[in-house]
Amino acid sequence: MSVPFILDTDTAQDDCVAILLGILDPVADLRAVTMVAGNVGFDQQVANAMMTLSVAGALGDYPVYLGCRRPMVREWVSAENVHGDGAGGLSMDMDGLSPESEHAVDALLRLTAESPGELNIVAIGPLTNIAMAVVKDPSFPSRVKHLFIMGGSNNARGNITAAAEFNFYVDPDAAKIVFQAGFEITVVPWEPLTVQDALFTREQMAEIGSQPSPVARFFGQVCEATLEFDESVGIHGSTHPDSLTVAVMLHPELVTKSAPYSVDIEADSELTRGYSAMSWGIHDLRPNARVIEAVDGPAFFEYVKGHMATATEPSRPLLGLAP
Ligand code: BDR
Ligand code: CA
């Protein structure tokens, strides 16, 4: 049975891989891509999403809605030091390509109103669009089947600060609203899960990237900057939290350990801004999310590798893509 969902993304590096899985996995029924401010400049993110659709031969097949260009109340914080332009220097002729005119927040509200209880949302960037939809219409959570969130750390190290993971750090106010809004939530955290189970070594990256398909070459090029960054901070490989979030939704059998938690986000302190307090059941707090604690890492690697081997005919040429 196929899984209908909307992908909310700040497209750069692993977000591109997440989009590819959402298109190439036959189980996936991607209804819309919604864009949110996060990793790199907003317009670059849109270009990255368009290039990703193009390399999969799917340009024009999926609506792309532009959402919030900055966090709810704070200045945007970039991760360009991690991702570069997020697309490995690739470019594409964007002539005649136009995203939908409807705002992403309105699209989220409308699409879930048209199919109440049927659509999942996978949120792999800051939670600004999702929180804005809640603010605009508090009944929104009741219409979403399940919200899969990549963000936070499970009482462990952050990545942008010692305390915080990037997505929650960028818009902690939005994250706080979302966890209190009444969604059915699954969280794919950064530490320890991603660094433990969604880490591909340089050898594994080469194994995926050397497969004879445009998608595989795209994968290799797009992920190179982050692989280098991860290695420079002592992580021994390339991290794939966003694609893991899509994979966990489409293939729940990948999950080997998860538990109910009560999750709240720090939005007042500067020192611990975006910290996710994940209470595991002994503090008399009502659980509001399932947190993934472990997945089958080798199976996840084979899953990504398999889909990156898909033969596609890119919709438009990508300039700079290795032959
Ligand atoms: C998250 O932040 C972004 O840089 C990645 O795309 C991922 O969603 C990891 O902290
Ligand atoms: Ca992301």
Side-chain angles (χ1 to χ4, degrees), residues 240-264:
H240 295 271
D242 296 336
S243 45
L244 178 63
T245 311
V246 170
V248 156
M249 174 190 64
L250 297 175
H251 299 283
E253 69 278 6
L254 285 170
V255 176
T256 54
K257 195 164 180 244
S258 69
Y261 281 76
S262 177
V263 179
D264 199 1

Side-chain angles (χ1 to χ4, degrees), residues 214-256:
V215 171
R217 295 200 303 277
F218 177 82
F219 173 92
Q221 268 177 264
V222 160
C223 295
E224 181 59 30
T226 316
L227 171 60
E228 281 169 19
F229 177 85
D230 283 339
E231 287 176 340
S232 77
V233 295
I235 296 173
H236 302 296
S238 172
T239 44
H240 295 271
D242 296 336
S243 45
L244 178 63
T245 311
V246 170
V248 156
M249 174 190 64
L250 297 175
H251 299 283
E253 69 278 6
L254 285 170
V255 176
T256 54

